[in-house]
Amino acid sequence: MPVGPQGVDKVYRMVAFAALIFPTALLRPKWCLRFGCLEILYGGIIEAIQPIFGRSADMSDFWADGLGVAMGIFLGLAARRIFFER
């Protein structure tokens, strides 16, 4: 049964993955690439194991995860520039 409008789950995934990487981008920007790749791998693993639990894997979820990582890095680096590099 859907919860909310169609596609809202993608927004939730983007926000969640952005929130995971944001502190890294803010506090340790040199680690962004490493942790961003690990986070995208984590999203891929989530999609790969979903069929084991009776759910379907969805490539658009994986893309939403990647977009969330990119957004979190962008926002974290922007916040760092605003608050720490004056």
Side-chain angles (χ1 to χ4, degrees):
M1 177 179 288
V3 180
Q6 183 177 358
V8 74
D9 64 313
K10 308 300 183 258
V11 175
Y12 295 155
R13 293 182 75 92
M14 287 189 305
V15 170
F17 276 76
L20 281 173
I21 197 70
F22 179 85
T24 302
L26 181 66
L27 301 173
R28 300 281 189 240
K30 292 181 181 180
W31 296 1
C32 284
L33 181 60
R34 187 174 313 136
F35 280 89
C37 289
L38 287 174
E39 197 170 320
I40 292 170
L41 178 64
Y42 173 66
I45 292 170
I46 290 172
E47 292 307 312
I49 66 171
Q50 280 187 355
I52 297 170
F53 298 98
R55 298 178 47 112
S56 62
D58 187 359
M59 195 62 173
S60 61
D61 285 346
F62 178 72
W63 287 106
D65 299 345
L67 184 57
V69 170
M71 287 174 29
I73 290 172
F74 174 78
L75 293 173
L77 293 176
R80 179 179 180 81
R81 187 169 192 163
I82 291 169
F83 295 114
F84 296 130
E85 296 177 4
R86 287 188 171 194

